[in-house]
Amino acid sequence: MTQLPRILLPGEGESVQIGTTTHTTFKAVGGETDDRLGLFEHHMDPGAPGASPHVHREQLEAFYVLDGVVELHLDGRSFAAPKGTFVNVPENMSHGFRNPYEDPAKMLIIFTPAINREEYFRGLAKLYANGRKATEDELLDLMAQYDQFELSVDGSVPGWGRH
């Protein structure tokens, strides 16, 4: 068993910058929880494109909005999720998120099992570092390595985009 006790105060934890609009801090990762739990604090600037609709075949994902409003997509339906909203996403259910609003937003993203989920976010940070734009092939390859599969190659929900 590799579970480790850990205390992180506000602002603590490894962080990655994804493009110019998104900042994610890892609060709990699989290597510390026997892959039972991943917990990330996810900050999105106004206009952040977020994650286009996708599914996870082997992971449950959940969201809890801490500040602002996040537009969530769940099983074919998009809706505004204000502070205090909780959304549970079972395996194989389509979901996505973004911040098309004028104010910043912050939410917790929870994964179980965690299965190195932080590596996906580290990979995104590398693909979008220094103003770089990832190719579709690079992005889809990264997604496939970490149990993430888009609904279609072009992210066919209108208005949903890339970092």
Side-chain angles (χ1 to χ4, degrees):
M1 188 170 287
T2 58
Q3 294 180 44
L4 303 173
R6 188 169 195 198
I7 296 172
L8 293 176
L9 298 175
E12 293 183 338
E14 178 190 347
S15 295
V16 294
Q17 180 70 37
I18 303 169
T20 60
T21 61
T22 304
H23 183 88
T24 303
T25 302
F26 308 137
K27 298 296 186 173
V29 296
E32 300 165 348
T33 66
D34 274 344
D35 287 332
R36 294 179 186 183
L37 174 71
L39 178 67
F40 304 164
E41 187 176 274
H42 195 74
H43 295 254
M44 293 183 289
D45 290 343
S52 55
H54 61 277
V55 298
H56 303 289
R57 295 178 182 155
E58 298 179 17
Q59 292 178 308
L60 175 146
E61 185 171 8
F63 305 100
Y64 184 80
V65 180
L66 296 169
D67 287 311
V69 178
V70 176
E71 183 174 0
L72 289 170
H73 176 85
L74 182 66
D75 199 25
R77 176 178 160 237
S78 295
F79 59 97
K83 178 180 177 178
T85 300
F86 173 77
V87 175
N88 186 60
V89 184
E91 296 168 352
N92 294 306
M93 182 169 284
S94 68
H95 61 285
F97 57 85
R98 66 181 181 159
N99 181 10
Y101 306 107
E102 294 181 11
D103 294 316
K106 178 170 58 171
M107 66 180 176
L108 294 177
I109 305 176
I110 301 127
F111 297 98
T112 186
I115 314 174
N116 293 318
R117 191 65 186 160
E118 66 278 3
E119 292 301 330
Y120 173 72
F121 284 78
R122 287 181 186 130
L124 280 178
K126 287 178 187 173
L127 288 177
Y128 290 97
N130 302 316
R132 185 179 183 280
K133 285 280 203 182
T135 67
E136 281 297 306
D137 285 343
E138 289 173 322
L139 191 55
L140 292 173
D141 286 346
L142 179 67
M143 289 178 181
Q145 289 177 51
Y146 298 102
D147 188 39
Q148 183 161 324
F149 305 92
E150 281 202 333
L151 297 183
S152 65
V153 171
D154 65 0
S156 64
V157 175
W160 293 76
R162 300 279 192 233
H163 288 279

